[in-house]
Amino acid sequence: MSLFQVSHEGRVSVHGHLDRDTLGKNWWNLLSSAQQQQLKKQGRCTLDLSDVERIDSAGLAWLINAVRDGKQHQVTVTLSDVPEKLLKLAKISDVDTLLPVE
C-alpha cells in the first residue's frame, strides 16, 4: 500500500508510519501530475491522518512542508483526524501554529 491515496474530492488519506524510515520526498513530489492538477483545480485538500499509526519529528516536518508546498501551488492544505501524539509533538516543538487543523 502506498503512503497515501487521493480521492476525487481532494481528500488525501495518509496511511501507516510518518517517520524518518518511510519519508523520502516532499508530499507534492510524490503526487502524480494528474493528482497535482486535480488539487490545483480544487484549490484545497484535506490530509486525513486517521490511519496514521506512528509519527515522529520527520513526519511533523513532512506535514509542515506539505502545507508549504500546497501554498506554493495555490492549494490550501488542512489536516483532519490529527493524532494526539502529533499535536503534543508540535506543541513541544513550538510549531503547533503551523498546522492547519480542522
Side-chain angles (χ1 to χ4, degrees):
M1 177 187 291
S2 67
L3 180 60
F4 59 86
Q5 289 154 335
V6 181
S7 75
H8 293 292
E9 297 80 35
R11 188 163 199 85
V12 179
S13 299
V14 184
H15 309 283
H17 298 189
L18 290 178
D19 59 26
R20 64 185 174 97
D21 295 328
T22 61
L23 299 171
K25 292 184 179 179
N26 283 341
W27 167 72
W28 193 261
N29 295 331
L30 293 172
L31 295 170
S32 70
S33 81
Q35 290 169 327
Q36 290 176 358
Q37 290 306 312
Q38 173 192 342
L39 295 177
K40 284 180 182 180
K41 184 177 177 184
Q42 291 173 328
R44 62 176 173 73
C45 81
T46 301
L47 296 178
D48 177 358
L49 304 177
S50 62
D51 199 28
V52 171
E53 298 169 11
R54 182 179 182 295
I55 190 160
D56 65 8
S57 58
L60 174 59
W62 188 83
L63 290 169
I64 292 169
N65 288 339
V67 173
R68 178 206 63 204
D69 293 347
K71 284 181 185 177
Q72 289 176 346
H73 297 282
Q74 290 77 47
V75 177
T76 301
V77 176
T78 57
L79 309 177
S80 72
D81 296 305
V82 179
E84 189 64 33
K85 182 177 179 179
L86 172 60
L87 294 174
K88 288 178 183 177
L89 179 60
K91 187 157 186 72
I92 65 170
S93 301
D94 201 26
V95 295
D96 52 321
T97 58
L98 299 177
L99 297 178
V101 178
E102 22 173 81

